[in-house]
């Protein structure tokens, strides 16, 4: 899970270095996120079907190797066009990650432990944010951003070898009925994830750049904001996923977390006038907004149709990735004009929309029914 999104966390944490060295604008920096998550959103429904048919181990090994190739190409990028192509390739690992890991959990973990285990595996994404924001950003200060990205690529190859040797064998390939349209709870979770993704992606992409250009932080210190968000996200995903594993408490949790995320975005807007609030806001984004995506994955596994865990996970992930593709370009237009405060208010509005979707869904559901 960490490697599936490592490239995009690196683009956020090392954003100031990319902007200066490759001579790209803040808008183009946001476009990298759009391209990566747009590719992931398009590929996710097919990726879920592939996981259901071929098995999670094959797909996990493949996603690690493709991640390594994408990172290596990003490290070699001479300009914006090459960079965007490499980021698009990185959409494939994102499309495979949640279906493959969720299917592994359903097969290998008892039902009563799936919530907490899902929180652990979803926290891998934030482990990637931490790695990009602290050790790899520090390495970039010593050997350059290209060397840091190539180091991440080499580590992904090592992880692929480990996965091939350590994970249990896949069952024989089998046919799974295909559906490209989310329905019922899956449709509500996809809509919630779309709005949630818009806001989270904007924070991930522009937080470090905001720290440099508005809070007068150095590039390494600004990248540490992303690392703080990552650590808080790990804690939030572990804690809230465990709560969501209890169906009686899961119904209202997505709306509550979205409400906390609104507060976090408002703190970012206020940090222009009180700079230390940016650190508090980074923690709050991790604890509430980032954790909400892990809760969505727990709900998917509770309510996925038999034999469709991969596809249902992929459809919800497609909504999340579409949000990641849409959010940063909108924020980037405001950032290019220097209107970061308005950008954070836009993020607050996106989180508020997610909260409304979650509230309407919870009112419709009312009863904590677990569908199989």
């Amino acid at each position: 899970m960490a490697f599936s999104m490592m490239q995009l966390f690196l683009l956020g944490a090392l954003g100031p270095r990319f902007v200066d060295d490759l001579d790209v604008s803040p808008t183009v920096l946001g476009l990298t996120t759009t391209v990566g998550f747009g590719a992931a959103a398009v590929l996710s429904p097919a990726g879920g079907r592939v996981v259901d048919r071929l098995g999670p181990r094959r797909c996990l090994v493949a996603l690690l190797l493709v991640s390594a190739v994408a990172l290596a190409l990003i490290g070699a990028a001479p300009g914006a066009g090459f960079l965007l192509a490499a980021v698009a390739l990185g959409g494939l690992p994102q499309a495979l990650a949640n279906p493959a890991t969720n299917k592994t959990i359903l097969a290998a973990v008892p039902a009563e432990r799936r919530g907490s285990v899902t929180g652990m595996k979803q926290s891998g994404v934030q482990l990637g944010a931490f790695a990009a924001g602290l050790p790899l950003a520090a390495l970039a200060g010593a050997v350059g951003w290209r060397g840091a990205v190539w180091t991440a690529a080499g580590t992904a190859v090592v992880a692929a070898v480990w996965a091939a040797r350590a994970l249990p064998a896949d069952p024989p390939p089998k046919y799974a009925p295909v559906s490209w349209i989310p329905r019922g709870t899956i449709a509500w979770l996809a809509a919630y994830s779309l709005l949630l993704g818009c806001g989270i992606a904007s924070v991930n992409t522009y937080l470090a750049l905001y720290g440099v250009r508005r809070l007068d932080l150095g590039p390494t210190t600004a990248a540490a904001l992303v690392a703080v968000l990552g650590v808080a996200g790990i804690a939030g995903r572990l804690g809230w996923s465990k709560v969501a594993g209890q169906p009686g408490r899961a119904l209202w949790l997505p709306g509550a977390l979205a409400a906390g995320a609104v507060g976090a975005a408002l703190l970012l807007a206020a940090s222009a006038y009180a700079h230390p609030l940016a650190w508090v806001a980074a923690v709050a984004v991790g604890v509430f907004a980032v954790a909400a995506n892990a809760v969505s994955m727990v709900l998917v596994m509770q309510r996925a149709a038999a034999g469709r865990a991969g596809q249902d996970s992929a459809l919800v992930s497609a909504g999340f990735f579409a949000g990641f593709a849409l959010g940063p370009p909108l924020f980037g237009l405001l950032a290019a004009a220097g209107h970061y405060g308005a950008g954070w208010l836009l993020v607050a509005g996106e989180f508020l929309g997610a909260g409304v979707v979650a509230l309407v869904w919870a009112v419709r559901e009312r009863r904590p029914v677990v569908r199989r």
Side-chain angles (χ1 to χ4, degrees):
M1 290 299 291
F3 283 110
S4 71
M5 288 180 58
M6 177 68 73
Q7 59 164 351
L8 294 164
F9 285 123
L10 281 170
L11 288 169
L14 304 179
R17 301 179 193 273
F18 281 98
V19 168
D20 294 337
D21 192 40
L22 297 181
D23 194 25
V24 298
S25 69
T27 302
V28 171
L29 182 65
L31 189 59
T32 61
T33 301
T34 299
V35 168
F37 282 101
V42 170
L43 294 171
S44 280
R49 187 183 182 194
V50 167
V51 172
D52 280 338
R53 293 191 67 178
L54 298 183
R57 185 176 75 167
R58 296 182 185 97
C59 294
L60 287 170
V61 172
L63 83 83
L64 287 165
L65 290 175
V66 176
S67 293
V69 172
L71 287 165
L73 292 174
I74 289 171
F82 194 100
L83 178 66
L84 291 174
V87 170
L89 177 63
L92 179 58
Q94 293 168 247
L96 294 173
N98 273 315
T101 52
N102 285 355
K103 202 166 182 71
T104 300
I105 289 172
L106 284 173
V109 178
E112 65 274 12
R113 294 189 58 237
R114 287 174 188 163
S116 59
V117 172
T118 300
M120 292 178 192
K121 74 99 174 175
Q122 290 294 132
S123 70
V125 176
Q126 299 316 117
L127 180 62
F130 173 79
L134 198 58
L136 287 173
L139 182 63
V143 302
W145 67 267
R146 294 183 191 273
V149 174
W150 284 330
T151 299
T155 310
V157 173
V158 173
V161 173
W162 170 84
R165 294 173 61 87
L167 294 180
D170 290 320
K174 60 183 179 180
Y175 172 77
V178 64
S179 174
W180 306 102
I181 309 278
R183 293 180 174 85
T185 294
I186 302 304
W188 285 99
L189 289 174
Y192 174 76
S193 297
L194 171 68
L195 291 163
L196 194 70
C198 284
I200 294 173
S202 296
V203 177
N204 285 345
T205 304
Y206 288 103
L207 183 58
L209 195 62
Y210 171 68
V212 170
R213 297 198 168 178
R214 286 292 176 270
L215 305 183
D216 298 321
L217 302 177
T220 301
T221 304
L225 278 171
V226 180
V228 166
L229 188 157
V231 171
I234 291 172
R237 287 185 164 190
L238 290 172
W240 292 120
S241 293
K242 186 174 182 179
V243 174
Q246 307 168 35
R249 299 186 179 183
L251 192 62
W252 302 100
L253 192 53
L257 293 177
V262 172
L266 294 176
L267 284 175
L268 278 173
S271 68
Y273 308 99
H275 294 184
L277 286 179
W279 299 94
V280 179
V283 171
V285 170
V287 169
F288 296 110
V290 172
N293 178 245
V295 169
S296 296
M297 287 296 112
V298 174
L299 290 170
V300 169
M301 285 189 285
Q302 288 175 351
R303 293 161 184 259
R308 284 185 42 86
Q311 291 185 65
D312 285 349
S313 298
L315 291 171
V316 174
S317 295
F320 191 61
F321 296 149
F324 265 64
L326 294 172
L330 298 176
F331 193 106
L333 295 174
L334 296 170
H339 301 316
Y340 282 94
W344 299 132
L345 293 178
L346 172 64
V347 169
E350 291 159 349
F351 288 149
L352 180 61
V356 170
V357 169
L359 178 62
V360 173
W361 169 75
V363 169
R364 287 169 60 93
E365 291 283 302
R366 291 187 181 277
R367 293 175 295 111
V369 178
V370 179
R371 296 185 179 92
R372 285 294 184 201

